[in-house]
Amino acid sequence: MPDQQLVPDWLSNPDVVLLRDVATAVLHLAAVDHLDSFTLPYPAGAQRALDALVLQCLRNGAKPPAGVPEMMRWARVRPLGSWPLDRLPADLFDTADRLIDEGSGEPSQLCHELAVRGYGDSTGRQYDRLVIHAALRACRAVSSPESYTAFRRLLVNRPVLTEEDWAEVSTDLFLDPVRFLIKEIYAPVPLGFRRNGAYLCCHRCLTLLHPVSETEWWCERDQCRHQGPPPHGRELVAAEVGELRQLRKALRQFVTGPGRAEVLLEGELRALSLTVEMWPGFDAYDLRITFPEGHVWAVDVKDWAHPAFLGRAATAVRPEPPYDEACWVVPAFRVRARRDYLAIYAKERGAGAGGLRLLTDDQLKRAARLRLSGERGPDASIAPPHTVPPAREHGGARTASSRSGSQTAATDGAGKKGADHA
């Protein structure tokens, strides 16, 4: 499928721009902490989004929302494809695509992607990048990639800390270079997470569950909700655990969530007796996978709700540390939920990505098993179909990985990685 677009850029479509404004308004209103003290008027951005939506509805002969509260109700109960916007590209959204999750009332991941990824950054996304870049700088300053890896594992594996956990983290020597950040990024847990004097963690993603009724809990992670009701993990009784801290929401959304997919894939690949290095070269990419004969794969894990935004973000994987083949990986549940996910990604992928493939985690593991069994055909490769990695030559000769690095450097420029994992 060609990379170069032959149709107008749908990102500039007027109705997509309108939905971006609505999504941004949803996020701004969701960030209001004290609704009981909220006074009119609504934020200017929310009013502008409403005005534009009303005008477009009137142009299309449809009944518009009566005000900001009804616009928010649309965001929760109406799939985007059913909004009276006649200029939306066909099949851009499916029947499950909403800006607000129906069950919890929280902004959906798609809402974040429309507002954040489709067009520039939100304050939360800037915060996410600032934290990760500050950690990178601090760990580079003391030449300690181990400290950066420990910091990333902390964000992935321990999004919630009790007083006992906090004391343990405070004495971890590997985390010394980023101690100043840890004190900032963990905040006291609001009482809204508590029910009957206790908090409950999700067993899958480890974040705190939101109580949505007397008996039900809601997980903020898309993958957990796709798999059914969240399995109950740690129950934290407030009177026993002392002050409870959790990562700020931007980090839970953009680092912890995708990071869970990364570390789960790490464990499954290690179980195949492969050597796996996490976030090598100060986070050049997510996983560096080495086969017994020395062949190396570089993998970046992405977990985006909408494949078109992911395709538009595609860039060649950074060339260092060197590797023989590279790809991006998405959790398989995304493709099960949307069968055209991989095709849409390929359609929207730009020429600068160099044909970068997107595989599901299941496809990557299958390719790894085939290569381990001795297969060397395309099914055991993650490289773009038009490239065939040469056999790695040892004993001082030029290797395939050096070839890969020189090719990707031309398309990668200065390299783009940072905190762009979600």
Side-chain angles (χ1 to χ4, degrees), residues 301-387:
V301 179
K302 306 293 180 181
D303 187 7
W304 292 26
H306 205 290
F309 295 132
L310 183 58
R312 285 297 170 128
T315 56
V317 176
R318 289 175 60 181
E320 295 291 337
Y323 52 81
D324 298 287
E325 302 177 57
C327 72
W328 278 6
V329 164
V330 66
F333 89 94
R334 293 289 183 192
V335 177
R336 289 194 295 269
R338 183 163 186 158
R339 295 294 180 180
D340 58 354
Y341 194 104
L342 298 180
I344 290 176
Y345 162 84
K347 177 184 176 183
E348 297 295 337
R349 179 187 55 204
L356 179 73
R357 291 180 69 189
L358 178 68
L359 305 177
T360 68
D361 47 6
D362 288 342
Q363 289 173 330
L364 179 81
K365 289 179 285 187
R366 178 178 181 273
R369 287 191 292 267
L370 287 172
R371 182 169 186 90
L372 284 169
S373 71
E375 171 67 45
R376 293 297 181 267
D379 290 341
S381 171
I382 64 171
H386 60 276
T387 64

Coordinates of all heavy atoms in Angstrom, one line a residue, residues 301-387:
V301 N 6.3 -0.2 21.2 CA 4.9 -0.6 21.5 C 4.1 0.6 21.5 O 4.4 1.6 22.2 CB 4.8 -1.4 22.8 CG1 3.4 -1.8 23.1 CG2 5.7 -2.6 22.8
K302 N 3.0 0.6 20.8 CA 2.0 1.7 20.7 C 0.7 1.2 21.1 O 0.3 0.1 20.7 CB 2.0 2.4 19.3 CG 3.4 2.8 18.8 CD 3.9 4.0 19.6 CE 5.3 4.4 19.1 NZ 5.8 5.5 19.8
D303 N -0.1 2.0 21.8 CA -1.5 1.6 22.2 C -2.4 2.8 22.0 O -2.7 3.5 22.9 CB -1.5 1.1 23.6 CG -2.9 0.5 23.9 OD1 -3.7 0.4 23.0 OD2 -3.1 0.1 25.1
W304 N -2.8 3.0 20.7 CA -3.6 4.1 20.4 C -5.0 3.6 20.0 O -5.1 2.5 19.4 CB -3.1 4.9 19.2 CG -1.8 5.7 19.5 CD1 -0.9 5.4 20.5 CD2 -1.4 6.9 18.9 NE1 0.1 6.3 20.5 CE2 -0.1 7.2 19.5 CE3 -1.8 7.6 17.8 CZ2 0.6 8.3 19.1 CZ3 -1.1 8.7 17.4 CH2 0.1 9.1 18.0
A305 N -6.0 4.3 20.4 CA -7.4 3.9 20.1 C -7.7 4.0 18.6 O -8.4 3.2 18.0 CB -8.4 4.8 20.9
H306 N -7.2 5.1 17.9 CA -7.6 5.3 16.5 C -6.3 5.0 15.6 O -5.3 5.7 15.7 CB -8.1 6.7 16.3 CG -9.0 6.7 15.1 ND1 -8.5 6.6 13.8 CD2 -10.4 6.9 14.9 CE1 -9.5 6.7 12.9 NE2 -10.6 6.9 13.6
P307 N -6.4 4.1 14.6 CA -5.3 3.8 13.8 C -4.8 4.9 12.9 O -3.7 4.9 12.5 CB -5.8 2.5 13.0 CG -7.3 2.7 13.0 CD -7.6 3.3 14.3
A308 N -5.8 5.8 12.5 CA -5.4 6.8 11.6 C -4.4 7.8 12.2 O -3.4 8.2 11.6 CB -6.6 7.6 11.1
F309 N -4.6 8.1 13.5 CA -3.7 9.0 14.2 C -2.4 8.3 14.4 O -1.3 8.9 14.3 CB -4.3 9.4 15.6 CG -5.5 10.2 15.5 CD1 -6.7 9.9 16.2 CD2 -5.6 11.3 14.6 CE1 -7.8 10.7 16.1 CE2 -6.8 12.1 14.5 CZ -7.9 11.8 15.3
L310 N -2.4 7.0 14.6 CA -1.2 6.3 14.8 C -0.4 6.3 13.5 O 0.8 6.5 13.5 CB -1.5 4.8 15.3 CG -0.2 4.0 15.5 CD1 0.7 4.6 16.6 CD2 -0.7 2.6 15.9
G311 N -1.1 6.0 12.4 CA -0.4 6.1 11.1 C 0.3 7.4 10.8 O 1.4 7.5 10.3
R312 N -0.4 8.5 11.1 CA 0.1 9.8 10.9 C 1.3 10.1 11.8 O 2.2 10.9 11.4 CB -1.0 10.9 11.1 CG -2.0 10.9 10.0 CD -1.3 11.4 8.7 NE -2.2 11.2 7.6 CZ -2.4 12.2 6.7 NH1 -1.8 13.4 6.9 NH2 -3.1 12.0 5.7
A313 N 1.4 9.4 12.9 CA 2.5 9.6 13.8 C 3.7 8.7 13.5 O 4.8 8.9 14.1 CB 2.1 9.4 15.2
A314 N 3.6 7.8 12.5 CA 4.6 6.8 12.3 C 6.0 7.5 11.8 O 6.0 8.3 10.9 CB 4.2 5.8 11.2
T315 N 7.0 7.1 12.5 CA 8.4 7.5 12.1 C 9.3 6.3 12.2 O 9.1 5.4 13.0 CB 8.9 8.6 13.1 OG1 8.8 8.2 14.4 CG2 8.1 9.9 12.9
A316 N 10.4 6.4 11.5 CA 11.4 5.3 11.5 C 11.9 5.1 12.9 O 12.2 6.1 13.6 CB 12.5 5.5 10.5
V317 N 12.2 3.9 13.4 CA 12.7 3.7 14.7 C 14.2 4.2 14.7 O 15.0 4.0 13.7 CB 12.7 2.2 15.0 CG1 13.4 1.9 16.4 CG2 11.2 1.7 15.1
R318 N 14.6 4.8 15.8 CA 15.9 5.4 15.9 C 17.0 4.3 15.7 O 16.8 3.2 16.1 CB 16.1 6.1 17.2 CG 15.3 7.4 17.4 CD 15.4 8.0 18.7 NE 16.8 8.3 19.1 CZ 17.1 8.8 20.3 NH1 16.2 9.0 21.2 NH2 18.4 9.0 20.6
P319 N 18.1 4.7 15.0 CA 19.1 3.6 14.6 C 20.0 3.1 15.7 O 20.7 2.1 15.5 CB 19.9 4.4 13.5 CG 19.8 5.8 13.9 CD 18.4 6.0 14.5
E320 N 20.1 3.8 16.9 CA 21.0 3.3 17.9 C 20.2 3.1 19.2 O 19.3 3.9 19.5 CB 22.0 4.4 18.2 CG 23.0 4.6 17.0 CD 23.9 3.4 16.8 OE1 24.1 2.7 17.8 OE2 24.4 3.3 15.7
P321 N 20.5 2.0 19.9 CA 21.4 0.9 19.6 C 21.1 0.2 18.3 O 19.9 0.1 18.0 CB 21.3 0.0 20.8 CG 20.7 0.9 21.9 CD 19.8 1.8 21.2
P322 N 22.0 -0.3 17.6 CA 21.8 -0.9 16.3 C 21.0 -2.2 16.3 O 20.9 -2.9 17.3 CB 23.2 -1.2 15.8 CG 24.0 -1.3 17.0 CD 23.5 -0.4 18.0
Y323 N 20.3 -2.4 15.2 CA 19.5 -3.6 15.1 C 19.4 -4.0 13.6 O 19.9 -3.3 12.7 CB 18.1 -3.3 15.6 CG 17.5 -2.0 15.0 CD1 16.9 -2.1 13.7 CD2 17.5 -0.8 15.6 CE1 16.4 -0.9 13.1 CE2 17.0 0.3 15.0 CZ 16.4 0.3 13.8 OH 15.9 1.4 13.2
D324 N 18.8 -5.2 13.4 CA 18.7 -5.7 12.0 C 17.3 -5.4 11.4 O 17.2 -5.2 10.2 CB 18.9 -7.2 12.1 CG 20.3 -7.6 12.5 OD1 21.3 -7.4 11.7 OD2 20.5 -8.1 13.6
E325 N 16.3 -5.5 12.3 CA 14.9 -5.2 11.8 C 14.2 -4.4 12.9 O 14.5 -4.6 14.1 CB 14.2 -6.5 11.5 CG 14.8 -7.4 10.5 CD 14.0 -8.7 10.3 OE1 12.8 -8.6 10.0 OE2 14.6 -9.8 10.6
A326 N 13.2 -3.7 12.5 CA 12.4 -2.9 13.4 C 10.9 -2.8 13.0 O 10.6 -2.9 11.8 CB 13.0 -1.5 13.5
C327 N 10.1 -2.7 14.0 CA 8.7 -2.5 13.7 C 8.0 -1.8 14.9 O 8.6 -1.7 16.0 CB 8.0 -3.8 13.4 SG 7.8 -4.9 14.9
W328 N 6.8 -1.4 14.7 CA 5.9 -1.0 15.8 C 4.9 -2.1 16.1 O 4.6 -2.9 15.2 CB 5.1 0.3 15.4 CG 5.9 1.6 15.6 CD1 7.2 1.7 15.9 CD2 5.3 2.9 15.5 NE1 7.5 3.0 16.0 CE2 6.4 3.8 15.7 CE3 4.1 3.4 15.1 CZ2 6.2 5.2 15.6 CZ3 3.9 4.8 15.1 CH2 5.0 5.6 15.3
V329 N 4.5 -2.2 17.4 CA 3.6 -3.2 17.8 C 2.4 -2.6 18.5 O 2.6 -1.7 19.3 CB 4.3 -4.2 18.7 CG1 3.3 -5.1 19.5 CG2 5.3 -5.1 17.9
V330 N 1.2 -3.1 18.3 CA 0.0 -2.7 19.0 C -0.6 -3.9 19.6 O -0.6 -5.0 19.1 CB -1.0 -2.1 17.9 CG1 -1.5 -3.1 16.9 CG2 -2.2 -1.4 18.6
P331 N -1.3 -3.7 20.8 CA -1.9 -4.9 21.5 C -3.0 -5.5 20.5 O -3.7 -4.7 19.9 CB -2.6 -4.2 22.7 CG -1.7 -3.1 23.0 CD -1.3 -2.5 21.7
A332 N -3.1 -6.8 20.5 CA -4.0 -7.5 19.6 C -5.5 -7.1 19.8 O -6.3 -7.1 18.9 CB -3.8 -9.0 19.8
F333 N -5.8 -6.7 21.1 CA -7.2 -6.4 21.3 C -7.7 -5.2 20.4 O -8.9 -5.1 20.1 CB -7.5 -6.1 22.8 CG -7.3 -4.7 23.2 CD1 -8.4 -3.8 23.3 CD2 -6.0 -4.2 23.6 CE1 -8.2 -2.5 23.7 CE2 -5.9 -2.9 24.0 CZ -6.9 -2.0 24.0
R334 N -6.8 -4.3 20.1 CA -7.1 -3.2 19.2 C -7.6 -3.6 17.9 O -8.6 -3.1 17.3 CB -6.0 -2.2 19.0 CG -5.5 -1.5 20.3 CD -6.5 -0.4 20.7 NE -6.1 0.3 21.9 CZ -6.8 1.1 22.6 NH1 -8.1 1.3 22.3 NH2 -6.4 1.8 23.6
V335 N -6.9 -4.7 17.3 CA -7.3 -5.2 16.0 C -8.6 -6.1 16.1 O -9.4 -6.1 15.2 CB -6.1 -6.0 15.4 CG1 -6.5 -6.6 14.1 CG2 -4.9 -5.0 15.2
R336 N -8.7 -6.8 17.2 CA -10.0 -7.5 17.4 C -11.2 -6.6 17.5 O -12.3 -6.9 17.0 CB -9.9 -8.4 18.6 CG -8.9 -9.6 18.5 CD -9.1 -10.6 19.6 NE -8.8 -10.0 20.9 CZ -7.6 -10.1 21.5 NH1 -6.6 -10.7 20.8 NH2 -7.3 -9.6 22.7
A337 N -11.0 -5.4 18.1 CA -12.1 -4.5 18.2 C -12.3 -3.7 16.9 O -13.5 -3.3 16.7 CB -11.7 -3.5 19.3
R338 N -11.3 -3.5 16.1 CA -11.5 -2.8 14.8 C -10.7 -3.6 13.8 O -9.4 -3.4 13.7 CB -11.0 -1.4 15.0 CG -11.2 -0.6 13.7 CD -11.1 0.9 14.0 NE -11.5 1.6 12.8 CZ -11.9 2.9 12.7 NH1 -12.1 3.5 13.8 NH2 -12.2 3.4 11.6
R339 N -11.3 -4.4 13.0 CA -10.7 -5.3 12.0 C -9.8 -4.6 11.0 O -8.9 -5.2 10.5 CB -11.7 -6.2 11.3 CG -12.5 -7.1 12.3 CD -11.5 -8.1 12.9 NE -12.2 -9.1 13.8 CZ -11.6 -10.0 14.4 NH1 -10.3 -10.3 14.2 NH2 -12.3 -10.8 15.2
D340 N -10.1 -3.3 10.7 CA -9.4 -2.6 9.6 C -8.2 -1.8 10.3 O -7.7 -0.9 9.6 CB -10.3 -1.7 8.8 CG -11.0 -0.7 9.7 OD1 -11.0 -0.8 10.9 OD2 -11.8 0.2 9.1
Y341 N -7.9 -2.0 11.5 CA -6.9 -1.2 12.2 C -5.6 -1.2 11.5 O -5.0 -0.1 11.2 CB -6.7 -1.8 13.6 CG -6.0 -0.9 14.6 CD1 -6.7 -0.2 15.6 CD2 -4.6 -0.7 14.5 CE1 -6.0 0.7 16.5 CE2 -3.9 0.1 15.4 CZ -4.6 0.8 16.4 OH -3.9 1.6 17.2
L342 N -5.0 -2.3 11.1 CA -3.7 -2.4 10.5 C -3.8 -1.8 9.1 O -2.8 -1.1 8.7 CB -3.2 -3.8 10.4 CG -3.0 -4.6 11.7 CD1 -2.5 -6.0 11.5 CD2 -2.0 -3.8 12.6
A343 N -4.9 -2.0 8.4 CA -5.0 -1.4 7.0 C -5.0 0.1 7.1 O -4.4 0.8 6.2 CB -6.2 -2.0 6.3
I344 N -5.8 0.7 8.0 CA -5.9 2.1 8.2 C -4.5 2.7 8.5 O -4.1 3.7 8.0 CB -7.0 2.5 9.2 CG1 -8.3 2.1 8.6 CG2 -6.9 4.0 9.5 CD1 -9.5 2.4 9.6
Y345 N -3.8 2.0 9.5 CA -2.5 2.5 9.8 C -1.6 2.6 8.6 O -0.9 3.6 8.3 CB -1.8 1.6 10.8 CG -0.3 1.7 10.9 CD1 0.2 2.7 11.7 CD2 0.5 0.9 10.2 CE1 1.6 2.9 11.8 CE2 1.9 1.1 10.2 CZ 2.4 2.1 11.0 OH 3.8 2.2 11.1
A346 N -1.6 1.5 7.8 CA -0.7 1.5 6.6 C -1.2 2.6 5.6 O -0.3 3.2 4.9 CB -0.8 0.1 5.9
K347 N -2.4 2.8 5.5 CA -2.9 3.9 4.5 C -2.5 5.3 5.0 O -2.1 6.1 4.1 CB -4.5 3.8 4.5 CG -5.1 4.9 3.6 CD -6.6 4.8 3.7 CE -7.2 6.0 2.9 NZ -8.7 6.0 3.0
E348 N -2.5 5.5 6.3 CA -2.2 6.9 6.8 C -0.7 7.1 7.1 O -0.3 8.2 7.3 CB -3.0 7.1 8.1 CG -4.5 7.1 7.9 CD -4.9 8.3 7.0 OE1 -4.2 9.3 6.8 OE2 -6.0 8.1 6.4
R349 N 0.1 6.0 7.0 CA 1.5 6.1 7.3 C 2.2 6.9 6.3 O 2.1 6.8 5.1 CB 2.1 4.7 7.3 CG 3.6 4.6 7.6 CD 4.1 3.1 7.4 NE 3.7 2.7 6.1 CZ 3.5 1.4 5.7 NH1 3.6 0.4 6.6 NH2 3.2 1.0 4.5
G350 N 3.0 7.9 6.7 CA 3.7 8.8 5.8 C 5.0 8.2 5.2 O 5.5 7.2 5.7
A351 N 5.5 8.8 4.1 CA 6.6 8.3 3.5 C 7.9 8.3 4.4 O 8.8 7.5 4.2 CB 6.9 9.1 2.2
G352 N 7.9 9.2 5.3 CA 9.1 9.3 6.2 C 9.3 8.1 7.1 O 10.3 8.0 7.7
A353 N 8.2 7.3 7.2 CA 8.3 6.1 8.1 C 9.1 5.0 7.5 O 9.4 4.0 8.1 CB 6.9 5.7 8.5
G354 N 9.4 5.1 6.2 CA 10.2 4.1 5.5 C 9.5 2.7 5.5 O 10.2 1.7 5.5
G355 N 8.2 2.7 5.4 CA 7.4 1.5 5.3 C 7.3 0.7 6.6 O 7.0 -0.5 6.6
L356 N 7.6 1.4 7.7 CA 7.5 0.8 9.0 C 6.3 0.0 9.3 O 5.2 0.5 9.1 CB 7.6 1.9 10.1 CG 7.6 1.4 11.6 CD1 8.9 0.8 12.0 CD2 7.3 2.6 12.5
R357 N 6.4 -1.3 9.6 CA 5.3 -2.2 9.8 C 4.7 -2.0 11.2 O 5.4 -1.7 12.1 CB 5.7 -3.6 9.6 CG 6.1 -4.0 8.2 CD 6.5 -5.5 8.1 NE 5.3 -6.4 8.4 CZ 5.5 -7.7 8.5 NH1 6.7 -8.3 8.5 NH2 4.4 -8.4 8.7
L358 N 3.4 -2.3 11.2 CA 2.7 -2.4 12.5 C 2.2 -3.8 12.6 O 1.4 -4.3 11.8 CB 1.5 -1.4 12.6 CG 0.7 -1.4 13.8 CD1 1.5 -0.9 15.0 CD2 -0.6 -0.6 13.7
L359 N 2.6 -4.5 13.7 CA 2.2 -5.8 14.0 C 1.4 -5.8 15.3 O 1.6 -5.0 16.2 CB 3.4 -6.8 14.1 CG 4.4 -6.8 12.9 CD1 5.5 -7.8 13.2 CD2 3.7 -7.3 11.6
T360 N 0.6 -6.8 15.5 CA 0.0 -7.0 16.8 C 1.1 -7.8 17.7 O 2.0 -8.4 17.2 CB -1.3 -7.9 16.8 OG1 -0.9 -9.2 16.4 CG2 -2.3 -7.3 15.8
D361 N 0.9 -7.7 19.0 CA 1.8 -8.4 19.8 C 1.8 -9.9 19.6 O 2.8 -10.6 19.6 CB 1.6 -8.1 21.3 CG 0.1 -8.2 21.7 OD1 -0.7 -8.6 20.9 OD2 -0.2 -7.9 22.9
D362 N 0.6 -10.4 19.2 CA 0.5 -11.9 18.9 C 1.3 -12.2 17.6 O 2.0 -13.2 17.5 CB -0.9 -12.3 18.7 CG -1.7 -12.3 20.0 OD1 -1.1 -12.4 21.1 OD2 -3.0 -12.3 19.9
Q363 N 1.2 -11.3 16.6 CA 2.0 -11.5 15.4 C 3.5 -11.5 15.6 O 4.3 -12.3 15.0 CB 1.6 -10.5 14.3 CG 0.2 -10.6 13.8 CD -0.2 -9.5 12.9 OE1 0.2 -8.3 13.1 NE2 -1.0 -9.8 11.9
L364 N 3.9 -10.6 16.5 CA 5.4 -10.5 16.8 C 5.8 -11.7 17.5 O 6.9 -12.3 17.1 CB 5.6 -9.3 17.7 CG 7.1 -9.1 18.1 CD1 7.9 -8.4 17.0 CD2 7.2 -8.3 19.4
K365 N 5.1 -12.3 18.4 CA 5.5 -13.5 19.1 C 5.5 -14.7 18.2 O 6.4 -15.5 18.2 CB 4.6 -13.7 20.3 CG 4.7 -12.8 21.5 CD 3.8 -13.0 22.6 CE 2.4 -12.6 22.3 NZ 1.5 -12.7 23.4
R366 N 4.6 -14.7 17.2 CA 4.5 -15.8 16.3 C 5.8 -15.7 15.4 O 6.4 -16.7 15.1 CB 3.3 -15.7 15.4 CG 3.2 -16.8 14.3 CD 1.9 -16.7 13.5 NE 1.9 -17.8 12.5 CZ 2.4 -17.7 11.3 NH1 3.0 -16.5 10.9 NH2 2.3 -18.7 10.4
A367 N 6.1 -14.5 14.9 CA 7.3 -14.3 14.1 C 8.6 -14.8 14.8 O 9.5 -15.4 14.3 CB 7.4 -12.9 13.6
A368 N 8.6 -14.4 16.1 CA 9.8 -14.8 16.9 C 9.9 -16.3 17.1 O 11.0 -16.9 17.0 CB 9.7 -14.1 18.3
R369 N 8.8 -17.0 17.3 CA 8.8 -18.4 17.4 C 9.3 -19.1 16.1 O 10.0 -20.1 16.1 CB 7.4 -19.0 17.8 CG 7.1 -18.7 19.3 CD 5.9 -19.5 19.7 NE 4.7 -19.0 19.1 CZ 3.9 -18.0 19.6 NH1 4.1 -17.5 20.8 NH2 2.8 -17.7 18.9
L370 N 8.8 -18.5 15.0 CA 9.2 -19.1 13.7 C 10.7 -18.9 13.4 O 11.4 -19.8 13.0 CB 8.4 -18.4 12.5 CG 6.9 -18.8 12.4 CD1 6.2 -17.9 11.4 CD2 6.8 -20.3 12.0
R371 N 11.2 -17.7 13.8 CA 12.7 -17.5 13.6 C 13.5 -18.5 14.5 O 14.5 -19.0 14.1 CB 13.0 -16.1 13.9 CG 14.5 -15.8 13.6 CD 14.9 -14.4 13.6 NE 16.3 -14.3 13.2 CZ 16.7 -14.2 12.0 NH1 15.9 -14.1 11.0 NH2 18.0 -14.2 11.7
L372 N 13.0 -18.6 15.7 CA 13.7 -19.5 16.6 C 13.7 -21.0 16.1 O 14.6 -21.8 16.4 CB 13.0 -19.5 18.0 CG 13.4 -18.2 18.9 CD1 12.4 -18.2 20.1 CD2 14.8 -18.2 19.3
S373 N 12.6 -21.3 15.4 CA 12.6 -22.7 14.8 C 13.4 -22.9 13.6 O 13.5 -24.0 13.1 CB 11.1 -23.0 14.5 OG 10.6 -22.3 13.4
G374 N 14.0 -21.8 13.1 CA 14.9 -21.9 11.9 C 14.3 -21.3 10.7 O 15.0 -21.2 9.6
E375 N 13.1 -20.8 10.7 CA 12.5 -20.2 9.5 C 13.2 -18.9 9.2 O 13.5 -18.1 10.2 CB 11.0 -20.0 9.8 CG 10.3 -19.1 8.8 CD 10.2 -19.8 7.4 OE1 9.8 -21.0 7.4 OE2 10.5 -19.2 6.4
R376 N 13.4 -18.6 8.0 CA 14.0 -17.3 7.6 C 13.2 -16.6 6.5 O 13.7 -15.6 5.9 CB 15.4 -17.5 7.1 CG 16.4 -18.0 8.2 CD 16.6 -16.9 9.3 NE 17.5 -17.4 10.3 CZ 17.2 -18.0 11.4 NH1 15.9 -18.3 11.7 NH2 18.1 -18.3 12.3
G377 N 12.0 -17.0 6.3 CA 11.1 -16.4 5.3 C 10.4 -15.1 5.8 O 10.7 -14.7 7.0
P378 N 9.5 -14.5 5.0 CA 8.9 -13.3 5.5 C 8.0 -13.4 6.7 O 7.8 -12.5 7.4 CB 8.0 -12.9 4.2 CG 7.9 -14.2 3.5 CD 9.1 -15.0 3.7
D379 N 7.5 -14.6 7.0 CA 6.7 -14.8 8.2 C 7.5 -14.7 9.5 O 7.0 -14.5 10.6 CB 6.0 -16.1 8.2 CG 4.9 -16.2 7.1 OD1 4.4 -15.1 6.7 OD2 4.4 -17.3 6.7
A380 N 8.8 -14.9 9.3 CA 9.7 -14.8 10.5 C 10.5 -13.5 10.5 O 11.5 -13.4 11.2 CB 10.7 -16.0 10.5
S381 N 10.0 -12.5 9.8 CA 10.6 -11.2 9.7 C 9.6 -10.1 10.2 O 8.4 -10.3 10.0 CB 11.0 -10.9 8.3 OG 11.5 -9.6 8.1
I382 N 10.2 -9.0 10.7 CA 9.3 -7.9 11.0 C 9.7 -6.7 10.2 O 9.1 -5.6 10.4 CB 9.5 -7.5 12.5 CG1 10.9 -7.1 12.9 CG2 9.0 -8.7 13.4 CD1 11.1 -6.5 14.3
A383 N 10.6 -6.8 9.3 CA 11.0 -5.7 8.4 C 9.9 -5.4 7.4 O 9.1 -6.3 7.1 CB 12.3 -6.1 7.7
P384 N 9.9 -4.2 6.8 CA 9.0 -3.9 5.7 C 9.1 -5.0 4.6 O 10.2 -5.5 4.3 CB 9.4 -2.6 5.2 CG 10.1 -1.9 6.4 CD 10.8 -3.1 7.1
P385 N 8.0 -5.3 3.9 CA 8.0 -6.4 2.9 C 9.0 -6.2 1.8 O 9.5 -7.2 1.3 CB 6.6 -6.4 2.4 CG 5.8 -5.8 3.5 CD 6.7 -4.8 4.1
H386 N 9.3 -5.0 1.5 CA 10.2 -4.8 0.3 C 11.7 -4.8 0.7 O 12.5 -4.7 -0.2 CB 9.9 -3.4 -0.3 CG 10.1 -2.2 0.6 ND1 9.1 -1.8 1.5 CD2 11.2 -1.4 0.9 CE1 9.6 -0.8 2.2 NE2 10.8 -0.5 1.9
T387 N 12.0 -5.1 2.0 CA 13.4 -5.2 2.4 C 13.6 -6.5 2.9 O 12.8 -7.1 3.6 CB 13.7 -4.1 3.5 OG1 12.9 -4.4 4.7 CG2 13.4 -2.7 3.0

